[in-house]
Amino acid sequence: MPPVFSAPETDACPLHVIASDDVDSWLSGQPQRVQAWAAAQRFTGACGQAIALPGADGTPELALAGYGNASQRARRRFILAEAAAKLPAGSYRIMSGLPAEDAATECLGWLLTGYSFDRYKAASPSAAQLIAPEGVDAAAIESLAAAECLTRDLINTPASDMGPAELQAAAEALAATYSANVSTIEGADLLAQNLPLIHTVGRASDRAPRLIDLRWGDTGPRLTLVGKGVCFDTGGLNLKPGNSMALMKKDMGGAANVLGLAQMIMAAGLNLRLRVLIPAVENAVSGPAFRPGDILTSRKGLTVEINNTDAEGRLVLADALALACEEAPDLLVSMATLTGAARVAVGPDLSPFYTDHDSDAAALAASAARQADPVWRMPFHAPYEPMIEPGIADLDNAPAGGFAGSITAALFLRRFVDETRYMHFDIYGWTPSAAPGRPKGGALQGARALFAALPELLEV
């Protein structure tokens, strides 16, 4: 179950959040035993420090959480989550010290500390629970946490239990919860309905490729989300080495992220017409696998020369983007674990995004800062267009040379969008090392920032 706030309890442990510069002044007003206890525990108010004073029965009767200083906080996310992970199990009520402007983000981080992917093992020990502070929209924060947990669960599930059919089932379960509709085009029907690239990438697997199409809402602007759903990527005939294949269960991270974002939107009841398109495939190796050197024709009619079968994500997205544009949405967003070049450029923590609209970029960047969901704008650099234009087809799916890999992939996708207002995220979808509120494993990236920016982007 997604973590939620504790119900109010009269016996909840009081928790004081104390910045490092305020420790001495706060302690000076406390009883001598509290001062002695804090001194014995060497409490300095450092970011993430947490101590609990036991009462007569051994349960905590008072707790302190360090909030550091401004320069320390600038280097961290979810500071209170770091403290929460160190507190004994129980219920806590914040009594002082948490800045009002930080409360929503810090409370979300606390809830996310309670996440554990325990599908394949015994349940994790109980975590410290928080009573939602006054002035915080508890239901909204719980909704964000639930959406993030959905995304994490989908990515963390191994490909043996998360193939195209299981990803479809996850979308259908989400749709049932919010009275949305889902339709699916599967297998050979992809060819009959002119989605040839999705079929080609997935045809070598015995798990049929498909396009999942979720719709919700009858009024308002049109928002279409497209998520890369490559449930496992062997690299195809350009087979990945073992160490590169180890995390390929997360190659459907774009699909998991748009489903998490869709859950936020539907739970909030935003006045818009939402469409979610997920090309769900497994890039496998067998007799029907597509080959380097093949020339493929897309839904849009553009031809693509295959120079590397491991650059398959942009192929399945191309057909889905072309389909999305036929409905002329007011905003089209794609999310994909698309290139290693993006990781080299910005690392695993930032979500690179592309847009041709400066106002959209500014709105998203401002929202990301407020939501502790960092993003970084990358350029649709038109002078690189020739890099994706081979000699014998309209497009090249894997330009030689290795330069600007994330940019050339984004330019490739933009060729299928025409004049539609478009934003593309080249995410990692994974936390490689555990951090406060973010255990090692699947991650939601850019989606909270985009959700919070939607009122400005679409005036909803």
Side-chain angles (χ1 to χ4, degrees):
M1 294 292 292
V4 296
F5 288 111
S6 174
E9 298 177 17
T10 56
D11 60 349
C13 178
L15 172 66
H16 297 272
V17 180
I18 306 176
S20 53
D21 293 341
D22 298 332
V23 172
D24 291 341
S25 61
W26 187 88
L27 285 174
S28 66
Q30 302 303 310
Q32 181 59 39
R33 71 184 189 95
V34 174
Q35 295 182 36
W37 160 67
Q41 296 296 317
R42 299 181 179 178
F43 182 78
T44 64
C47 278
Q49 190 178 14
I51 57 174
L53 173 65
D57 63 354
T59 60
E61 70 172 48
L62 179 70
L64 306 181
Y67 210 57
N69 58 41
S71 62
Q72 292 168 346
R73 291 192 292 273
R75 298 177 60 173
R76 288 170 164 83
R77 271 196 279 169
F78 300 142
I79 295 145
L80 201 55
E82 187 175 355
K86 300 171 184 175
L87 290 170
S91 186
Y92 295 83
R93 185 192 303 275
I94 296 173
M95 304 301 292
S96 69
L98 182 61
E101 63 271 19
D102 297 341
T105 296
E106 294 296 347
C107 288
L108 174 63
W110 185 302
L111 289 191
L112 293 176
T113 301
Y115 172 82
S116 176
F117 184 65
D118 53 16
R119 175 173 176 175
Y120 300 97
K121 63 180 182 181
S124 301
S126 299
Q129 288 192 294
L130 178 67
I131 294 174
E134 291 186 10
V136 165
D137 188 339
I141 294 173
E142 287 177 342
S143 178
L144 293 178
E148 185 135 0
C149 291
L150 169 66
T151 294
R152 291 179 181 183
D153 280 349
L154 292 173
I155 297 173
N156 286 331
T157 302
S160 55
D161 292 326
M162 185 52 65
E166 289 81 9
L167 189 53
Q168 175 185 337
E172 290 171 342
L174 181 63
T177 300
Y178 295 101
S179 300
N181 297 309
V182 175
S183 61
T184 304
I185 304 170
E186 181 179 341
D189 287 342
L190 291 166
L191 294 175
Q193 298 196 41
N194 193 23
L195 295 161
L197 297 185
I198 299 173
H199 180 271
T200 297
V201 172
R203 72 190 183 196
S205 174
D206 59 2
R207 306 163 93 178
R210 64 204 67 206
L211 178 75
I212 303 163
D213 190 345
L214 180 150
R215 292 177 181 269
W216 174 87
D218 299 319
T219 62
R222 294 182 183 274
L223 170 65
T224 299
L225 309 176
V226 178
K228 175 185 169 185
V230 178
C231 295
F232 195 82
D233 180 19
T234 65
L237 291 176
N238 291 109
L239 195 68
K240 292 179 182 288
N243 60 346
S244 298
M245 211 183 298
L247 278 183
M248 282 302 99
K249 69 176 185 179
K250 79 170 185 68
D251 213 21
M252 40 64 70
N257 269 258
V258 297
L259 287 175
L261 176 55
Q263 178 167 321
M264 295 178 205
I265 291 167
M266 294 187 291
L270 296 187
N271 181 35
L272 53 77
R273 286 171 285 182
L274 174 67
R275 188 182 191 187
V276 180
L277 293 170
I278 297 174
V281 302
E282 181 174 30
N283 187 18
V285 178
S286 71
F290 70 118
R291 298 162 292 267
D294 284 354
I295 305 292
L296 307 179
T297 302
S298 68
R299 178 183 184 85
K300 191 176 179 181
L302 294 173
T303 56
V304 182
E305 181 180 355
I306 303 303
N307 281 315
N308 193 320
T309 61
D310 196 18
E312 85 299 330
R314 66 201 69 185
L315 300 176
V316 299
L317 289 171
D319 271 355
L321 289 170
L323 174 64
C325 289
E326 292 166 13
E327 202 172 66
D330 296 287
L331 178 63
L332 173 61
V333 178
S334 59
M335 289 187 160
T337 53
L338 202 60
T339 70
R343 308 288 71 76
V344 174
V346 301
D349 205 31
L350 285 164
S351 300
F353 75 97
Y354 295 81
T355 177
D356 283 317
H357 298 271
D358 292 343
S359 59
D360 289 354
L364 183 64
S367 173
R370 294 192 300 268
Q371 300 300 317
D373 188 14
V375 300
W376 194 263
R377 188 182 186 183
M378 298 281 279
F380 277 126
H381 188 55
Y384 289 165
E385 291 278 3
M387 295 170 65
I388 60 171
E389 296 169 346
I392 59 173
D394 296 315
L395 294 168
D396 183 339
N397 84 318
F403 289 126
S406 181
I407 296 173
T408 55
L411 290 171
F412 180 98
L413 295 179
R414 194 175 64 167
R415 290 290 188 94
F416 296 87
V417 171
D418 293 327
E419 300 303 317
T420 301
R421 186 173 159 214
Y422 176 51
M423 190 177 289
H424 166 60
F425 289 79
D426 190 346
I427 64 173
Y428 191 45
W430 191 262
T431 301
S433 300
R438 294 170 290 148
K440 181 179 180 179
L444 181 135
Q445 292 185 296
R448 283 191 290 108
L450 184 56
F451 171 73
L454 285 176
E456 185 171 352
L457 295 174
L458 290 174
E459 297 182 358
V460 293

